[in-house]
Amino acid sequence: MPLQQLKELWQLPKEEHESDTYREIQEGIVFKGHNLWLLSAAMVIACIGLNAGNSAAIVGAMLISPLMGPVIGFAFGISIQSRSMMRLSVRNWLVMVSTSLLASSLFFVVTPFHYSTNELRSFTEGTIFDVMLAFVGGIAGFIGIIRKEAVKVIAGVAVATACIPPLCTAGYGIATLQWRFFLGGFYFFLINCFFIGLGTWLTSTLLGYAHFYKGHLPNRRKLSGWMTLIGVALLVPSIWLAFLKWTSQRFEYRVNTYVENIQAAFPDLVIVRHKAFRQNDEQFVDISLLNDSSDVAGTVLDAANSMDSSIHVIWHFAPDKASREAAKLRQEMKRMDSVLRRQDSLLRNIQSP
């Protein structure tokens, strides 16, 4: 394929006039009236979804939420050097965050279900993969804006980057005074905002909008330095969290493989459940068997333990047959003693004058 044809294939034409793009972004920044009501409704819907484990409600909340407007507006303002758009974006971002935290906190204060679900916990650890998702989402979001059918793309980006659930998690942390949830959820939200903005800024700058809106932005180099510093500061925890998640999943995979190998090597062992955990830098797996201790030879357990010496196994057995028979006998003796006591009491009542 000739180079010119390849260039035309990947070219990004602007399907609408640049002034229309500017106006569209400007309108999306402002949070008042219907935007605030939509945001509050989306937060409550997402909180219900996170509290009840309803993924459909969470996706629906992300589709109707107008969260990305100030983030895209601020990044576009940097690109076109518009201080007024940047100030407007910051003010409305603060309104957006305050409203979201208030709505989610009030919901979790009012609801009687204050336990943390898996969905809530999943939005407390923003990793490098979420950073990559937000950055690519920002690029896709701005490409969608310059198209005539922008709504579909923006809705898809909102679902992919998941800005609403982390704020719900932060609100849950405030309502229940569990600051781990607040800090984790708000950090997740911050990396989404920053890297969506970074992707938007990069795309809008490459498309040449800075050539058409030449406002005056002093200390541009200083601003770029601050952006780099903030980006690095946000990246470091996400890389560390990704490493912790990788090591945890790797450990779980090793344990699952170990248990599968034990089951394959000793099919007479009936493994009911197993649980992996770490303690004092050592790895353990707790295995429960349906076999009782009299059915399992010590040599079998020794052989199973030696299959992976780095993992310590804690074995749990079903009660052996002798113990079960003894328990049944004790229960029967108690029942017979109770019957004899009742009969003795009845005889005394009959014999008394």
Side-chain angles (χ1 to χ4, degrees):
M1 180 180 293
L3 184 60
Q4 183 62 28
Q5 291 182 355
L6 188 63
K7 184 178 179 181
E8 291 176 357
L9 181 66
W10 286 94
Q11 190 175 4
L12 276 176
K14 300 168 184 174
E15 295 184 359
E16 60 183 12
H17 195 271
E18 291 174 1
S19 59
D20 295 330
T21 301
Y22 182 91
R23 186 169 54 254
E24 184 180 343
I25 294 174
Q26 183 89 3
E27 291 173 355
I29 293 173
V30 180
F31 268 87
K32 65 178 182 179
H34 71 278
N35 269 0
L36 272 183
W37 282 101
L38 272 177
L39 177 61
S40 301
M43 291 302 298
V44 172
I45 293 171
C47 287
I48 293 172
L50 289 169
N51 209 207
N54 188 336
S55 57
I58 300 171
V59 172
M62 290 187 286
L63 285 172
I64 66 174
S65 67
L67 265 181
M68 294 176 60
V71 177
I72 292 175
F74 184 79
F76 189 66
I78 295 176
S79 174
I80 65 175
Q81 303 185 47
S82 171
R83 289 183 295 175
S84 61
M85 180 176 280
M86 291 168 63
R87 286 195 296 266
L88 181 67
S89 299
V90 171
R91 286 199 302 269
N92 282 275
W93 186 85
L94 292 173
V95 170
M96 173 190 75
V97 172
S98 303
T99 304
S100 300
L101 290 176
L102 179 62
S104 56
S105 299
L106 285 176
F107 172 83
F108 285 113
V109 166
V110 172
T111 182
F113 303 101
H114 291 154
Y115 56 86
S116 61
T117 60
N118 291 330
E119 285 76 12
L120 279 168
R121 288 190 293 272
S122 67
F123 288 103
T124 59
E125 297 180 350
T127 66
I128 187 64
F129 302 106
D130 300 295
V131 168
M132 294 165 60
L133 188 60
F135 178 70
V136 177
I139 295 174
F142 194 81
I143 292 174
I145 288 174
I146 65 176
R147 296 184 60 199
K148 292 180 180 179
E149 296 183 356
V151 177
K152 296 178 181 178
V153 179
I154 294 298
V157 172
V159 174
T161 53
C163 286
I164 280 268
L167 274 181
C168 293
T169 302
Y172 172 82
I174 294 174
T176 60
L177 300 181
Q178 298 184 62
W179 303 115
R180 179 176 69 87
F181 282 89
F182 171 74
L183 294 174
F186 200 71
Y187 170 70
F188 202 128
F189 173 70
L190 282 180
I191 62 174
N192 273 344
C193 288
F194 183 84
F195 288 98
I196 285 172
L198 188 62
T200 300
W201 169 79
L202 178 64
T203 310
S204 59
T205 301
L206 290 176
L207 288 176
Y209 286 86
H211 296 293
F212 294 93
Y213 301 100
K214 295 184 178 179
H216 179 61
L217 184 64
N219 300 323
R220 186 168 185 176
R221 183 176 297 177
K222 186 177 180 180
L223 179 62
S224 300
W226 275 107
M227 288 178 63
T228 303
L229 184 63
I230 294 171
V232 171
L234 290 173
L235 267 177
V236 171
S238 70
I239 295 172
W240 175 248
L241 288 171
F243 173 75
L244 291 179
K245 184 174 287 189
W246 175 74
T247 54
S248 175
Q249 290 179 350
R250 185 165 171 257
F251 173 52
E252 289 180 5
Y253 174 77
R254 281 188 58 221
V255 168
N256 291 335
T257 304
Y258 179 37
V259 172
E260 289 174 3
N261 290 338
I262 291 174
Q263 187 68 87
F266 309 102
D268 291 336
L269 294 180
V270 183
I271 299 175
V272 179
R273 56 176 289 278
H274 71 275
K275 181 181 179 182
F277 64 95
R278 294 174 182 268
Q279 187 174 340
N280 299 328
D281 295 329
E282 293 188 336
Q283 302 171 345
F284 293 87
V285 58
D286 195 316
I287 299 179
S288 298
L289 299 175
L290 195 59
N291 311 77
D292 60 48
S293 57
S294 62
D295 289 340
V296 181
T299 53
V300 171
L301 298 182
D302 292 338
N305 292 334
S306 63
M307 292 177 69
D308 192 335
S309 58
S310 65
I311 300 177
H312 305 287
V313 184
I314 301 172
W315 299 96
H316 292 281
F317 303 94
D320 57 37
K321 296 174 183 178
S323 299
R324 289 198 297 268
E325 293 297 330
K328 288 180 182 179
L329 182 59
R330 285 193 296 267
Q331 186 176 5
E332 186 64 25
M333 289 175 65
K334 286 181 180 179
R335 188 184 68 80
M336 291 177 64
D337 184 62
S338 177
V339 171
L340 290 173
R341 287 177 183 274
R342 287 199 300 269
Q343 289 178 352
D344 186 57
S345 177
L346 285 173
L347 287 172
R348 286 180 183 179
N349 290 335
I350 293 172
Q351 291 173 359
S352 63

